[in-house]
Amino acid sequence: MATFAVSGLNSISSFNNNFRSKNSNIFLSRKRSLLFNLRRRRRSFYVSNVASDQKQKTKDSSSDEGFTLDVYQPDSTSVLSSIKYHAEFTPSFSPEKFELPKAYYATAESVRDMLILSWNATYEYYEKMNVKQAYYLSMEFLQGRALLNAIGNLGLNGPYADALTKLGYSLEDVARQEPDAALGNGGLGRLASCFLDSMATLNYPAWGYGLRYQYGLFKQLITKDGQEEVAENWLEMGNPWEIVRNDISYPVKFYGKVIEGADGSKEWVGGEDITAVAYDVPIPGYKTKTTINLRLWSTKLAAEAFDLHAFNNGDHAKAYEAQKKAEKICYVLYPGDESLEGKTLRLKQQYTLCSASLQDIIARFEKRSGNAVNWDQFPEKVAVQMNDTHPTLCIPELLRILIDVKGLSWKQAWGITQRTVAYTNHTVLPEALEKWSFTLLGELLPRHVEIIAMIDEELLLTILTEYGTEDLDLLQEKLNQMRILDNVEIPTSVLELLIKAEENAADVEKAAEEEQLEEGKDEETEAVKAETTNVEEETEVEKVEVKDSQAKIKRIFGPHANRPQVVHMANLCVVSGHAVNGVAEIHSEIVKDEVFNEFYKLWPEKFQNKTNGVTPRRWLSFCNPELSEIITKWTGSDDWLVNTEKLAELRKFADNEELQSEWRKAKGNNKMKIVSLIKEKTGYVVSPDAMFDVQIKRIHEYKRQLLNIFGIVYRYKKMKEMSPEERKEKFVPRVCIFGGKAFATYVQAKRIVKFITDVGATVNHDPEIGDLLKVVFVPDYNVSVAEVLIPGSELSQHISTAGMEASGTSNMKFSMNGCLLIGTLDGANVEIREEVGEDNFFLFGAQAHEIAGLRKERAEGKFIPDPRFEEVKAFIRTGVFGPYNYEELMGSLEGNEGFGRADYFLVGKDFPDYIECQDKVDEAYRDQKKWTKMSILNTAGSFKFSSDRTIHQYARDIWRIEPVELP
């Protein structure tokens, strides 16, 4: 245990003892004096601003006269004082001890102090200048630990390291006490967090909005039964980075009914009411005065809604019911949605995010506007970015507020909404393009269903204008592909147009027939009479089949009883937003050519590409400091941290033996950290001399962890068939590392986790194999685990079925850290391979344009599996990896059709190419000079994949905002 004993300052513990023993008045005076001195010494920022009345006068002025934010870098002594102050006066722990957890909280609160002034000044300045601001709505923000990132961005590693050393601890040990914020799951949330870092670093006026999940997704345990889930406890000891804003809360409503006033206005009344409360988290930029905000919503029940009468009558369950309903909205990220209750809870989460955020955004706009609110200026001051389809309900919510609350017309509100919102698509998987039950949505959000129906009507009228009504079959096809409300009654206005068009067509046809009969009357009277009789007979038949035009139209375009009525959220996003972007070049092309092709043909100007990116601060500088120092040395400065184009300069030194030697040493030191992590997390001991081969990402069939583990099984089987000498000659030693969570109700993904751990249990205890092959599943994969694994990885697997991974960001992180990739031409792999060079990327597998044909071939029974693939399946079925029944897992790869069959993700098709590509990996790794050069070229080629670059593109092409640097 460390104690406070610093020259020139009383220890906090000693001070505390004095407090209890001296006269209270005398001590209060001393306490105030100490508090003043500590505050004075730890200040790193101060703000000098104009008077508040002057600020109001200049709200719309572009002048920044009178506003300055001066930055003073504190030394270790003032940092030490600040930490000691928080250990005593911001207590989260008992006062007797100063152990690591308390040291972390005091340190974090000290850093937060230095962020608060710049945080407040940033938004005070934005309000003064009345700048256009971007708001990023996401269900996930996978932040990771904040302490080292914040200290690094502030450039205060040295002072904090020195101060903590004087207190008996290292900065690294203190930082490890921080739990990962359980606000995300995978790439979607990590991308959002990288974006926030870049927005702040580049001085863009922006905010993030999300939900404050009490238990996150889940904490993953690996047991003999595979993956088990327990609640995440990240908030158990509190969160020093957040500040609750009790004065910022908004009502959120569910259920109820819509009533119409005499003037045609609509009001949503009754139902279930909750309150969303704001929790703010500062997001500092790198070496800039800007600190932006992540606002998270937590839900509760208003005190007046608590049923005190029921409680006093002993019906405690009834009294608590409304409170628990409100609170559970923010319990868990992505609650299981197999049940109706689960679906309802997910929908409540999404609406809570959208409603609270939109109310907040509008309140901020009105505050900036003062007494003269011009709603047509709303899109000139506000940009709303929907990160995937989860925040789609912000579209009808914005319309509801503008129409029902602010009194705007439909036309004006619809125009404002279309100019304000934009949509990022993250998937081509049909099941991931959200669809909600029309009935459920109508019950939970009755006013929003009405508004969505109005948007759907606007879309239908546009389609009718574009394609006409002559070809009803074509029109029906377009509506089936594009409608927002699928299998729902056609709006009356559209139905009337279709009926009128059908009647007009019938009249034209009849007139043409009469004219034809009249022209031929003299020359072919008898023939015409006969023909007339036939026409009349056919007309009578048609009247029997379709009594009138209205019945015919309803038969063609009406809903079908055996199909569900659903709301297509992605279609709603595309129709309502002014921009739709994919997240990698190949993905954006698939979005245009396949996923939203009909919309692309209608509105080609909406569609853009914005290839994902990762922040080089967290994902290279802070997690890999040794390699970062080498890069700085060889490029001449640390400018690459904000101008990643500088990384390309490494190319000219790729053959330099001195650089290669330094590079290998850094990689080796990072591998030793992985060895320690594996021992700590799994108990396995692995050799640092082996190749470290890593696949860490969400467990999903399309990401094909199954292909990876099948390749390992094949490798193991071949080793077992060889003599010890042959094994060493044939195979490079490997440590194959997996990490990632399978969703709790995704049974097949959980089978894959179980299989990987079973293979590891067998292989890792086989004395014949020893260090030649190890298989490790690292439990509870998160950002902090990634920050250890990525710097020490040598080969990383990005092997999804081509055309199914939108982008990926872990591939960028690995490449940035000098790790070689093996992968398909999918997502950002395509662009990474172009930048790092084809010779520095291990490519295999079918390409995206071939996939549909290969699946068709399989369905027709024409696919002949490679004998090596069949060999692996047979080997697994011998029970070599334990008694667990893997028949369902094996069966998914067999057969020609059917759900859960027919190898939909083409594991068997790509398997032979994959294992042959792995032979090339072994061959390249044997030549360490060549491998190191390839590693350097991967880092050099990763310059394109900085999230800074991506954010510049969003700001320029979608949000149309400018950087606003504090003076």
Side-chain angles (χ1 to χ4, degrees):
M1 182 183 74
T3 59
F4 293 110
V6 181
S7 175
L9 289 170
N10 288 328
S11 72
I12 292 295
S13 56
S14 172
F15 186 82
N16 194 49
N17 292 334
N18 288 337
F19 180 79
R20 295 176 179 86
S21 61
K22 301 291 184 182
N23 176 278
S24 60
N25 289 332
I26 296 173
F27 189 76
L28 283 173
S29 177
R30 291 186 61 197
K31 183 177 179 181
R32 292 189 192 103
S33 176
L34 175 61
L35 181 60
F36 173 79
N37 288 328
L38 290 173
R39 284 176 173 165
R40 184 180 61 183
R41 296 185 67 176
R42 65 188 167 84
R43 283 181 66 187
S44 60
F45 299 96
Y46 68 90
V47 180
S48 173
N49 207 342
V50 293
S52 58
D53 59 342
Q54 181 65 21
K55 283 186 285 185
Q56 290 299 320
K57 293 176 183 178
T58 61
K59 182 176 289 289
D60 295 318
S61 169
S62 61
S63 171
D64 57 21
E65 183 180 354
F67 189 105
T68 60
L69 176 62
D70 295 322
V71 180
Y72 166 71
Q73 292 292 90
D75 58 19
S76 61
T77 302
S78 56
V79 167
L80 177 64
S81 298
S82 176
I83 294 172
K84 292 176 67 177
Y85 164 75
H86 282 290
E88 177 68 10
F89 297 114
T90 316
S92 299
F93 297 84
S94 58
E96 292 83 7
K97 299 177 181 179
F98 186 73
E99 296 179 328
L100 274 171
K102 186 172 184 177
Y104 159 66
Y105 275 83
T107 303
E109 285 154 349
S110 164
V111 175
R112 191 188 69 182
D113 279 357
M114 286 187 282
L115 296 178
I116 284 176
L117 285 174
S118 62
W119 194 14
N120 292 341
T122 298
Y123 280 91
E124 188 176 358
Y125 188 62
Y126 288 170
E127 290 208 5
K128 174 183 181 295
M129 304 303 291
N130 197 15
V131 297
K132 183 176 183 180
Q133 189 163 325
Y135 298 97
Y136 196 82
L137 272 64
S138 178
M139 286 294 286
E140 296 185 44
F141 287 92
L142 194 59
Q143 291 178 284
R145 292 169 174 161
L147 181 60
L148 289 181
N149 187 72
I151 290 173
N153 276 359
L154 293 172
L156 295 176
N157 295 71
Y160 270 90
D162 290 345
L164 287 168
T165 298
K166 293 174 183 176
L167 294 172
Y169 293 122
S170 71
L171 175 58
E172 291 73 19
D173 287 341
V174 169
R176 276 194 286 270
Q177 299 302 304
E178 181 178 2
D180 276 39
L183 299 172
N185 173 38
L188 183 81
R190 187 51 239 171
L191 177 75
S193 293
C194 281
F195 276 8
L196 292 183
D197 178 270
S198 288
M199 292 171 193
T201 297
L202 301 172
N203 300 304
Y204 282 115
W207 262 13
Y209 280 107
L211 294 181
R212 182 180 179 267
Y213 304 106
Q214 184 171 344
Y215 302 115
L217 185 70
F218 58 79
K219 181 178 286 187
Q220 181 192 52
L221 305 179
I222 299 298
T223 69
K224 61 181 179 61
D225 298 317
Q227 172 181 296
E228 293 187 10
E229 306 89 22
V230 298
E232 179 63 72
N233 62 348
W234 76 287
L235 286 173
E236 194 170 70
M237 303 298 287
N239 178 10
W241 299 106
E242 67 184 15
I243 295 179
V244 59
R245 306 294 192 187
N246 289 311
D247 59 326
I248 300 176
S249 63
Y250 298 97
V252 178
K253 182 186 294 296
F254 307 108
Y255 302 109
K257 62 181 180 180
V258 180
I259 58 175
E260 185 172 354
D263 59 353
S265 63
K266 297 287 185 76
E267 184 181 4
W268 182 19
V269 298
E272 180 182 304
D273 296 306
I274 66 165
T275 300
V277 181
Y279 284 73
D280 286 352
V281 179
I283 308 295
Y286 176 72
K287 293 186 178 180
T288 177
K289 300 174 185 178
T290 300
T291 296
I292 66 171
N293 192 36
L294 170 58
R295 177 157 286 177
L296 304 171
W297 300 107
S298 186
T299 48
K300 68 176 186 178
L301 187 69
E304 59 269 19
F306 180 74
D307 193 342
L308 187 61
H309 179 73
F311 187 86
N312 287 333
N313 284 340
D315 194 349
H316 298 162
K318 181 182 178 183
Y320 286 139
E321 183 179 2
Q323 181 176 336
K324 292 303 180 186
K325 280 184 178 179
E327 291 176 351
K328 75 178 182 180
I329 290 172
C330 289
Y331 275 173
V332 175
L333 168 64
Y334 302 142
D337 61 353
E338 299 297 311
S339 65
L340 176 61
E341 291 78 7
K343 289 181 173 66
T344 303
L345 184 55
R346 278 212 192 186
L347 196 54
K348 281 185 172 182
Q349 285 186 333
Q350 294 187 5
Y351 179 62
T352 298
L353 168 65
C354 296
S355 179
S357 301
L358 261 295
Q359 290 182 72
D360 194 45
I361 290 167
I362 287 172
R364 292 172 56 76
F365 170 74
E366 290 181 313
K367 179 183 176 184
R368 291 188 184 187
S369 299
N371 296 324
V373 178
N374 180 353
W375 288 106
D376 288 326
Q377 288 294 309
F378 189 77
E380 306 304 319
K381 297 297 182 182
V382 171
V384 174
Q385 188 70 36
M386 299 178 291
N387 191 28
D388 214 353
T389 51
H390 307 127
T392 304
L393 288 169
C394 73
I395 294 165
E397 177 67 359
L398 178 56
L399 284 162
R400 181 191 71 84
I401 295 172
L402 292 177
I403 296 170
D404 296 357
V405 180
K406 304 303 178 183
L408 274 63
S409 68
W410 162 260
K411 182 178 180 181
Q412 186 182 8
W414 178 232
I416 290 169
T417 300
Q418 285 189 301
R419 290 188 291 139
T420 300
V421 301
Y423 163 54
T424 298
N425 174 270
H426 283 278
T427 185
V428 300
L429 298 177
E431 65 270 23
L433 292 171
E434 280 193 308
K435 298 181 286 290
W436 285 104
S437 161
F438 179 74
T439 302
L440 173 60
L441 196 62
E443 290 175 355
L444 192 70
L445 302 170
R447 179 57 176 143
H448 296 75
V449 164
E450 291 183 353
I451 292 171
I452 292 170
M454 295 169 73
I455 300 173
D456 187 58
E457 183 176 359
E458 291 275 351
L459 172 64
L460 294 180
L461 293 172
T462 301
I463 293 172
L464 260 62
T465 301
E466 180 71 17
Y467 294 102
T469 56
E470 292 78 14
D471 189 337
L472 293 183
D473 290 336
L474 174 65
L475 194 58
Q476 182 187 28
E477 179 186 344
K478 298 300 180 186
L479 296 189
N480 287 340
Q481 292 171 336
M482 301 175 71
R483 278 201 73 183
I484 298 167
L485 301 180
D486 185 17
N487 202 39
V488 176
E489 289 281 359
I490 294 285
T492 302
S493 62
V494 178
L495 195 64
E496 290 174 351
L497 288 174
L498 290 171
I499 291 170
K500 184 175 181 180
E502 178 63 18
E503 290 173 346
N504 289 341
D507 290 344
V508 169
E509 184 178 354
K510 183 178 180 181
E513 290 170 354
E514 291 174 351
E515 183 177 350
Q516 184 179 3
L517 289 173
E518 189 67 30
E519 290 175 353
K521 187 180 293 183
D522 295 337
E523 297 179 3
E524 303 178 14
T525 302
E526 293 302 320
V528 169
K529 286 181 179 179
E531 183 67 25
T532 301
T533 303
N534 290 338
V535 169
E536 290 173 351
E537 289 174 355
E538 289 174 2
T539 302
E540 290 301 319
V541 171
E542 185 174 346
K543 286 181 179 180
V544 171
E545 292 178 349
V546 183
K547 292 182 179 180
D548 53 32
S549 298
Q550 184 175 356
K552 179 180 178 181
I553 294 299
K554 286 187 175 181
R555 176 174 60 81
I556 295 174
F557 295 100
H560 299 277
N562 60 344
R563 282 177 51 206
Q565 294 183 314
V566 297
V567 183
H568 289 275
M569 306 305 272
N571 290 7
L572 178 56
C573 289
V574 175
V575 172
S576 306
H578 64 87
V580 179
N581 72 276
V583 289
E585 287 179 0
I586 185 174
H587 170 238
S588 295
E589 291 305 308
I590 292 172
V591 163
K592 292 189 291 187
D593 296 343
E594 299 176 25
V595 182
F596 299 124
N597 181 249
E598 295 301 328
F599 294 104
Y600 174 66
K601 288 189 285 190
L602 195 59
W603 300 301
E605 70 283 354
K606 282 191 180 186
F607 290 81
Q608 304 180 18
N609 175 61
K610 297 288 174 281
T611 299
N612 283 344
V614 300
T615 166
R617 273 80 61 183
R618 179 181 286 271
W619 291 111
L620 184 49
S621 178
F622 303 154
C623 74
N624 199 346
E626 189 171 350
L627 188 65
S628 298
E629 288 179 7
I630 294 170
I631 294 170
T632 296
K633 171 186 172 181
W634 287 85
T635 59
S637 74
D638 64 357
D639 289 350
W640 58 271
L641 278 166
V642 287
N643 298 301
T644 50
E645 291 81 2
K646 299 282 187 180
L647 290 174
E649 295 179 12
L650 290 170
R651 287 172 174 158
K652 60 188 178 185
F653 305 114
D655 288 308
N656 186 287
E657 292 186 3
E658 182 183 351
L659 172 58
Q660 289 194 3
S661 176
E662 293 174 358
W663 202 270
R664 280 193 293 271
K665 181 181 177 183
K667 182 66 72 173
N669 291 339
N670 287 324
K671 289 175 72 175
M672 289 304 300
K673 294 178 183 177
I674 295 179
V675 171
S676 298
L677 177 75
I678 289 173
K679 180 69 167 63
E680 175 192 345
K681 297 285 188 181
T682 70
Y684 289 131
V685 177
V686 300
S687 169
D689 297 325
M691 178 202 298
F692 282 16
D693 172 353
V694 180
Q695 187 179 21
I696 44 175
K697 52 185 71 208
R698 184 165 49 93
I699 308 297
H700 198 292
E701 289 172 277
Y702 88 85
K703 294 179 184 288
R704 298 202 297 190
Q705 285 91 352
L706 199 55
L707 176 59
N708 186 351
I709 194 64
F710 267 45
I712 292 169
V713 169
Y714 180 79
R715 189 180 187 92
Y716 175 65
K717 184 175 186 295
K718 292 303 160 189
M719 286 181 177
K720 294 290 287 182
E721 294 168 355
M722 295 178 180
S723 67
E725 293 74 22
E726 289 174 324
R727 287 185 206 121
K728 290 181 180 179
E729 179 69 23
K730 171 69 175 174
F731 295 105
V732 165
R734 285 206 200 192
V735 178
C736 300
I737 303 170
F738 293 83
K741 295 179 180 179
F743 191 67
T745 58
Y746 191 174
V747 176
Q748 194 73 318
K750 294 178 76 170
R751 288 191 185 112
I752 293 171
V753 173
K754 168 66 173 164
F755 182 55
I756 293 169
T757 58
D758 281 352
V759 171
T762 298
V763 171
N764 298 346
H765 294 100
D766 190 330
E768 291 184 357
I769 302 303
D771 287 337
L772 201 56
L773 181 63
K774 297 290 185 185
V775 181
V776 178
F777 192 101
V778 178
D780 206 34
Y781 172 65
N782 57 23
V783 173
S784 295
V785 171
E787 288 173 338
V788 177
L789 292 179
I790 290 173
S793 300
E794 294 169 289
L795 180 74
S796 180
Q797 307 224 16
H798 303 273
I799 56 178
S800 52
T801 310
M804 304 200 75
E805 182 74 84
S807 172
T809 54
S810 65
N811 46 8
M812 301 171 183
K813 298 163 194 165
F814 280 104
S815 185
M816 193 173 280
N817 281 270
C819 180
L820 277 61
L821 309 187
I822 179 172
T824 53
L825 282 179
D826 195 27
N829 283 359
V830 177
E831 293 160 81
I832 291 174
R833 182 169 176 262
E834 289 173 357
E835 296 299 332
V836 305
E838 295 179 5
D839 294 339
N840 304 305
F841 185 105
F842 297 102
L843 178 67
F844 76 94
Q847 297 186 33
H849 67 273
E850 302 174 296
I851 301 301
L854 291 169
R855 287 179 178 145
K856 182 180 179 183
E857 180 185 84
R858 182 71 178 243
E860 294 171 350
K862 297 177 182 178
F863 173 67
I864 301 174
D866 187 273
R868 293 166 289 186
F869 187 62
E870 297 300 288
E871 182 184 348
V872 168
K873 290 191 296 179
F875 184 55
I876 294 167
R877 283 178 163 133
T878 65
V880 64
F881 300 115
Y884 186 85
N885 184 357
Y886 283 108
E887 200 53 43
E888 290 291 336
L889 191 61
M890 298 297 104
S892 71
L893 306 171
E894 298 172 334
N896 295 323
E897 57 185 355
F899 180 76
R901 303 277 293 176
D903 193 11
Y904 183 78
F905 300 101
L906 304 182
V907 175
K909 172 63 181 178
D910 281 348
F911 182 76
D913 198 11
Y914 174 72
I915 59 174
E916 289 165 13
C917 191
Q918 289 285 13
D919 289 339
K920 297 176 183 177
V921 171
D922 278 3
E923 180 184 353
Y925 193 77
R926 287 190 178 94
D927 184 346
Q928 277 295 293
K929 183 175 180 180
K930 176 183 177 182
W931 187 275
T932 305
K933 178 180 178 180
M934 295 167 74
S935 174
I936 294 169
L937 290 173
N938 262 268
T939 297
S942 67
F943 68 91
K944 182 179 177 181
F945 305 105
S946 165
S947 52
D948 295 356
R949 180 188 180 109
T950 312
I951 286 299
H952 275 313
Q953 294 172 350
Y954 272 95
R956 180 192 65 216
D957 302 333
I958 298 178
W959 306 333
R960 295 181 174 86
I961 61 175
E962 298 291 334
V964 179
E965 188 169 356
L966 274 67

